[in-house]
Amino acid sequence: GAKWTYNGPEGEHHWSKHYPYCGGAFQSPIDIKSELLRFDPTLRPIEIQNYNLLPNEQLTLGNNGHSVQISLPSKMHISSLPHRYTAAQLHFHWGSSSRPAGSEHTVNSKQYAAEMHVVHFNSDKYPNMSMAVDKSDGLAVLGVLIEVGEFSPTFEQFLRFINGIKYRDQRVQVPGFNIRAMLPARLDEYFRYDGSLTTPPCYPSVLWTVFRNHVTISRKQFLDMATALYSSHAQESSPVPLNGNFRRPQLADSRVVLVSFKE
Ligand SMILES: NS(=O)(=O)c1c(F)c(F)c(S(=O)(=O)CCO)c(N[C@H]2CCCc3ccccc32)c1F
Ligand SMILES: [Zn+2]
């Protein structure tokens, strides 16, 4: 597809020129505001399978020019939704060293330092991500808000390799680790709403689950992620830093955000 960026002439306000869904309904992210919330007693704790990967299970860590991503094995899946949603990849959105706020979802207008997304597709109905990505019941993404605070040994399991993927389309193999440990302790407390991919083509195909509780990484870990990467290829003469890779909150319209917790 056409080139797109987070700022400048191909920035988010121009996406809809080449990607019409980006100007459509049910867009993500949103500001999760108290007045939109409705408690739903039928929302069960998120149950995930096979997230605890062993070191001999290699994962591909890559810089795709828009984010840092980790490709995930198809044995990883969510088992508590009406269909099985099989993991495809996880990636991050972050701010910059000068503007450390870079989450996509905000909570009552509070923007967190960063956000992790674990992308899954409905493998009961579709054979792969490509076939699922534009279907209304195609995707389920788990969102984890990230604050700067305590050092995270789990994030370090991939951050220590980040200088091997400084430039666009670079990839390295890293030993598997426990992806469950990147999620908050409580998988029973979350926000739930129907939304979209937050990058072009912005298909309204995502069942969003944003966990209520954030996780923390240290300031050095945040700066490593926010300053190590470029969205340009290694051989390009003028390197373009990869940071501030978050879309602003979109109109909620008449959408309600369901919550799995009372207080
Ligand atoms: N925030 S978000 O909406 O979850 C989200 C991103 F922000 C994001 F950058 C990516 S990307 O890294 O692939 C960069 C360009 O799409 C994805 N990829 C998804 C959707 C596109 C097709 C595809 C195919 C295989 C695996 C994952 C994906 C993404 F879903
Ligand atoms: Zn994302």
Side-chain angles (χ1 to χ4, degrees):
K3 260 181 338 103
W4 58 270
T5 61
Y6 284 97
N7 300 293
E10 284 110 13
E12 60 182 280
H13 304 297
H14 303 276
W15 289 354
S16 56
K17 275 181 265 184
H18 297 286
Y19 302 98
Y21 285 106
C22 297
F26 290 99
Q27 290 298 287
S28 295
I30 58 171
D31 179 28
I32 298 168
K33 286 189 290 212
S34 301
E35 54 261 33
L36 299 177
L37 303 184
R38 188 173 76 205
F39 170 64
D40 180 344
T42 70
L43 291 179
R44 300 171 46 199
I46 296 296
E47 288 168 14
I48 51 180
Q49 309 300 333
N50 304 319
Y51 265 53
N52 187 359
L53 304 175
L54 299 175
N56 67 322
E57 299 178 85
Q58 300 270 302
L59 299 169
T60 303
L61 175 72
N63 174 343
N64 60 33
H66 303 291
S67 184
V68 54
Q69 72 170 57
I70 299 176
S71 301
L72 299 172
S74 49
K75 66 176 183 177
M76 285 176 59
H77 63 276
I78 299 169
S79 51
S80 52
L81 291 172
H83 293 291
R84 173 181 290 207
Y85 282 83
T86 295
Q89 57 110 281
L90 67 82
H91 62 270
F92 298 86
H93 304 268
W94 58 85
S96 64
S97 49
S98 57
R99 186 195 187 283
S103 68
E104 296 209 302
H105 290 93
T106 52
V107 181
N108 290 321
S109 300
K110 174 187 168 58
Q111 189 176 22
Y112 288 76
E115 188 169 340
M116 177 176 78
H117 292 151
V118 192
V119 183
H120 305 72
F121 70 94
N122 182 338
S123 48
D124 280 354
K125 291 184 72 173
Y126 309 106
N128 54 48
M129 263 300 292
S130 304
M131 293 299 289
V133 73
D134 62 345
K135 309 297 189 297
S136 59
D137 59 355
L139 305 184
V141 180
L142 302 180
V144 179
L145 298 164
I146 301 168
E147 274 289 55
V148 170
E150 191 80 17
F151 172 81
S152 166
T154 306
F155 274 68
E156 200 57 23
Q157 303 270 24
F158 72 89
L159 279 174
R160 62 200 175 113
F161 298 104
I162 202 156
N163 285 323
I165 56 160
K166 291 186 81 62
Y167 298 97
R168 182 181 189 129
D169 295 337
Q170 291 186 330
R171 284 187 286 276
V172 293
Q173 293 293 100
V174 306
F177 58 97
N178 185 4
I179 307 291
R180 167 71 184 85
M182 296 179 85
L183 306 181
R186 299 202 59 170
L187 304 185
D188 62 323
E189 296 190 336
Y190 56 84
F191 305 104
R192 164 68 50 76
Y193 79 98
D194 294 321
S196 72
L197 296 178
T198 69
T199 61
C202 307
Y203 295 129
S205 59
V206 180
L207 182 68
W208 277 99
T209 299
V210 178
F211 290 108
R212 178 192 196 179
N213 301 298
H214 65 266
V215 301
T216 64
I217 59 177
S218 69
R219 170 154 302 284
K220 181 183 181 308
Q221 289 180 306
F222 174 82
L223 290 173
D224 284 350
M225 186 155 69
T227 60
L229 304 177
Y230 296 95
S231 57
S232 46
H233 290 103
Q235 66 273 16
E236 282 178 51
S237 50
S238 52
V240 180
L242 174 51
N243 54 49
N245 60 337
F246 60 92
R247 189 187 195 183
R248 270 86 184 153
Q250 306 297 302
L251 290 174
D253 297 315
S254 57
R255 281 181 282 180
V256 163
V257 176
L258 301 176
V259 290
S260 64
F261 55 93
K262 273 198 154 171
E263 247 342 300

